[in-house]
Amino acid sequence: RADAEALRKQAEAELLRARSDAEASRAARSKADSEAAANRLRAQAEADAARIRGEAEAVAARTKSDAEAAMREAATKVAKAAPAAAPAGAVAGDARYDGTWNVTVACAPSNDGALGYTYAFDAVVKNNFLRGERNVESKPGWLLLQGAIQPDGSATLEAQGITDDPKYANKNVAAGTRFGYHVAAHFDSNRGTGRRLELRACDLRFAKL
């Protein structure tokens, strides 16, 4: 009887060890499966992020290329359509437009989703050459507007800028994107009007201070 009891206890102990080893093996397999699944998910997420970055960079490059092409085409049209400039001496000698002017830019919402906006800044005309700047160069929201006013009051002004809030920008491009366009304008002694020639509809008003 003593030998039988000892054998029974030994068998139970071995059964417990076998069960424990089986549980440990299952736990190890479960952990390995979990780690493998996590690695697959992480690799997929990294691949998706790389794909999204690549697509965003491609869209930005296409937008920049399209804008530059449109600017070149518009500049060519303006150059062909603009009247011959008056002699330099005539422009400099007749300075009736000289002084400080308030400039108001009002842009309507665009078809590609950009919201409308209005802002104002001051410009200075010296020797009938207008130059006005909004905000600080190299910062979002910067705009430089400049160009010569002809003796008859006509002017083709050039604008260069940097986008601010994307919701107001053509195609909602990111803040900090450089852009440019031309303005066909006409001045009298103390008033002026203008319109943007490229990308979207904007009206400009000039008032001499």
Side-chain angles (χ1 to χ4, degrees), residues 8-95:
R8 184 182 65 79
K9 289 182 178 180
Q10 182 179 355
E12 289 176 350
E14 290 177 353
L15 178 61
L16 288 175
R17 283 197 300 272
R19 287 176 177 173
S20 178
D21 291 344
E23 289 294 334
S25 178
R26 282 195 295 272
R29 284 197 303 272
S30 177
K31 181 179 179 182
D33 291 344
S34 297
E35 290 177 349
N39 288 335
R40 287 194 298 273
L41 289 174
R42 184 163 51 250
Q44 184 62 47
E46 290 174 352
D48 290 343
R51 176 179 54 79
I52 292 170
R53 282 196 302 272
E55 292 174 351
E57 290 172 354
V59 170
R62 286 196 300 271
T63 300
K64 181 180 179 182
S65 177
D66 291 347
E68 291 175 346
M71 285 181 60
R72 287 193 297 269
E73 181 179 355
T76 300
K77 291 180 179 178
V78 169
K80 291 180 178 179
V91 175
D94 181 3

Side-chain angles (χ1 to χ4, degrees), residues 18-204:
R19 287 176 177 173
S20 178
D21 291 344
E23 289 294 334
S25 178
R26 282 195 295 272
R29 284 197 303 272
S30 177
K31 181 179 179 182
D33 291 344
S34 297
E35 290 177 349
N39 288 335
R40 287 194 298 273
L41 289 174
R42 184 163 51 250
Q44 184 62 47
E46 290 174 352
D48 290 343
R51 176 179 54 79
I52 292 170
R53 282 196 302 272
E55 292 174 351
E57 290 172 354
V59 170
R62 286 196 300 271
T63 300
K64 181 180 179 182
S65 177
D66 291 347
E68 291 175 346
M71 285 181 60
R72 287 193 297 269
E73 181 179 355
T76 300
K77 291 180 179 178
V78 169
K80 291 180 178 179
V91 175
D94 181 3
R96 65 180 180 277
Y97 304 111
D98 283 12
T100 301
W101 294 70
N102 178 258
V103 183
T104 301
V105 180
C107 295
S110 68
N111 293 331
D112 59 17
L115 298 180
Y117 61 84
T118 300
Y119 59 77
F121 58 96
D122 288 343
V124 174
V125 177
K126 184 176 181 181
N127 293 330
N128 287 341
F129 187 90
L130 180 144
R131 187 182 190 280
E133 191 169 21
R134 175 180 183 260
N135 292 345
V136 180
E137 185 175 0
S138 79
K139 299 294 184 180
W142 171 72
L143 180 77
L144 174 64
L145 181 68
Q146 59 184 352
I149 304 174
Q150 302 302 319
D152 64 358
S154 64
T156 299
L157 308 176
E158 181 181 3
Q160 302 176 53
I162 299 176
T163 58
D164 194 350
D165 191 330
K167 66 184 179 183
Y168 297 106
N170 282 323
K171 299 183 180 179
N172 303 124
V173 298
T177 303
R178 288 188 172 271
F179 65 90
Y181 58 86
H182 296 85
V183 173
H186 190 276
F187 295 80
D188 59 26
S189 58
N190 57 10
R191 288 288 185 273
T193 58
R195 60 183 178 84
R196 180 170 169 169
L197 298 178
E198 297 95 40
L199 300 180
R200 68 185 299 178
C202 298
D203 293 324
L204 285 81

